[in-house]
Amino acid sequence: MAPKKRCSVCRKLFLPDPRVGARQHACREKHCQRQRRARTQASWRSRNPSYQADDRLKRRAMTAAAAAERGGERDGDPALDPPACPPAPLRMPAVLASFPWDFAYTKLGFAGADLLASLALLLVRLVNVVKDEKMAERLLPTEVYGLAGRDP
């Protein structure tokens, strides 16, 4: 008989499944399994931060290429066929809405324009972070943190 283990979520003792053995860290309770799965997914996302954006952009590029290749014709199962029209442009914040995205899509193609849009979004986020840091510097007195008299 395998030794009992302590659940990493609820901290109760449990007998691990013999097929899993030492690798099992959570008991069979639904709540504990949900928590374990959420932790695992969060860990994976933190180790692979760009996966979702990369995957989304790859799917958009494949859809645009398939639509261009077909020339708008559809002749099979609609569930398996890609859409006849290219994907809609990415949603942009108001700061980037005035950029001529339709021109970028025609000149650069969907993959190039999506890359440009991703870079623009990254720059907007970076500018907002810098603005927030400068705002915090102005609002918070440096004496509180023991930083008075130091060069920035």
Side-chain angles (χ1 to χ4, degrees):
M1 183 172 187
K4 288 187 174 185
K5 291 183 74 172
R6 192 162 297 276
C7 177
S8 64
V9 178
C10 68
R11 310 301 298 159
K12 293 179 183 176
L13 290 174
F14 71 96
L15 282 173
D17 188 317
R19 296 169 294 181
V20 181
R23 295 175 293 136
Q24 186 174 353
H25 298 287
C27 65
R28 294 181 183 168
E29 295 293 323
K30 284 189 183 276
H31 170 74
C32 296
Q33 288 298 319
R34 270 194 217 109
Q35 287 284 76
R36 178 196 58 81
R37 187 71 183 138
R39 286 180 190 171
T40 302
Q41 289 174 346
S43 170
W44 190 90
R45 282 191 304 267
S46 70
R47 287 180 280 129
N48 302 288
S50 64
Y51 175 79
Q52 278 187 321
D54 293 345
D55 185 53
R56 186 172 53 249
L57 291 175
K58 282 179 194 172
R59 279 188 278 124
R60 285 175 57 81
M62 287 176 28
T63 302
E69 183 179 302
R70 286 185 178 278
E73 296 177 14
R74 295 181 77 172
D75 59 2
D77 184 7
L80 300 176
D81 284 344
C85 59
L90 294 172
R91 286 179 284 160
M92 294 289 139
V95 174
L96 298 173
S98 63
F99 187 82
W101 291 108
D102 54 343
F103 180 74
Y105 281 108
T106 57
K107 293 297 181 184
L108 301 174
F110 276 87
D114 284 349
L115 178 63
L116 180 66
S118 297
L119 289 172
L121 285 170
L122 185 64
L123 287 173
V124 166
R125 289 182 186 139
L126 182 63
V127 166
N128 288 337
V129 166
V130 169
K131 283 181 184 177
D132 290 344
E133 287 177 358
K134 289 189 178 196
M135 178 78 71
E137 287 175 7
R138 281 187 268 140
L139 294 177
L140 298 174
T142 55
E143 294 82 21
V144 172
Y145 297 102
L147 301 175
R150 292 186 186 174
D151 290 332

